[in-house]
């Protein structure tokens, strides 16, 4: 068994796919549309974004709306530089930052938490 795709619920699949495309440099799947958009990752891994009516963003670290899943990305640059780049692309930064010197918790434009870790 091999992992082939990760799909995130969101209110606007094309916008969220564009955020992650600009953040990662991955290629947009040619059949992306307003209901389901995707990015082609390395080794056949696909990151998908599907439209969900009445989407509610995770409220991390509060569990009123659980995160259910988060992604972790290794960055080549310093954490501070990667954080600044991602914030400029539209990411958010929660106040709660466990182990901020080792990794940073950010949120994508749809509110999904994700971590960045330096090599």
């Amino acid at each position: 068994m091999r992992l082939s795709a990760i799909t995130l619920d969101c209110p606007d699949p094309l916008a969220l796919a564009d955020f992650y495309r600009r953040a990662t440099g991955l290629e947009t799947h040619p059949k992306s549309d307003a209901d389901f958009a995707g990015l082609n990752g390395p080794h056949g891994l696909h990151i998908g974004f599907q439209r969900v009516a009445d989407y509610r963003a995770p409220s991390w670290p509060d569990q009123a709306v659980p995160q259910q899943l988060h992604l972790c990305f290794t960055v080549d640059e310093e954490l501070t530089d990667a954080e600044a780049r991602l914030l400029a692309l539209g990411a958010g930064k929660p106040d709660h930052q466990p182990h901020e010197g080792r990794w940073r918790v950010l949120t994508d434009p749809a509110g999904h938490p994700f971590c960045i870790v330096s090599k």
Side-chain angles (χ1 to χ4, degrees):
M1 185 164 62
R2 177 176 62 88
L3 180 64
S4 60
I6 297 168
T7 301
L8 301 174
D9 293 347
C10 63
D12 186 342
L14 291 172
L16 195 55
D18 187 58
F19 168 79
Y20 280 105
R21 180 193 59 77
R22 292 182 298 143
T24 65
L26 297 176
E27 179 183 324
T28 303
H29 190 280
K31 293 185 179 180
S32 294
D33 62 31
D35 290 319
F36 190 92
L39 299 175
N40 297 322
H43 312 293
L45 181 62
H46 182 81
I47 303 174
F49 309 94
Q50 67 184 6
R51 180 180 301 283
V52 171
D54 301 321
Y55 172 77
R56 292 177 39 206
S59 56
W60 186 89
D62 177 356
Q63 292 298 300
V65 180
Q67 69 180 349
Q68 299 178 22
L69 170 103
H70 78 266
L71 302 172
C72 293
F73 296 93
T74 300
V75 295
D76 293 327
E77 67 261 52
E78 294 293 324
L79 282 177
T80 302
D81 295 336
E83 176 186 310
R85 180 175 62 84
L86 293 163
L87 291 172
L89 292 176
K93 183 178 178 185
D95 291 334
H96 181 65
Q97 290 292 317
H99 306 288
E100 190 169 13
R102 294 177 44 202
W103 64 77
R104 305 287 163 80
V105 179
L106 302 175
T107 55
D108 67 26
H112 302 106
F114 67 94
C115 296
I116 55 173
V117 181
S118 61
K119 285 185 175 181

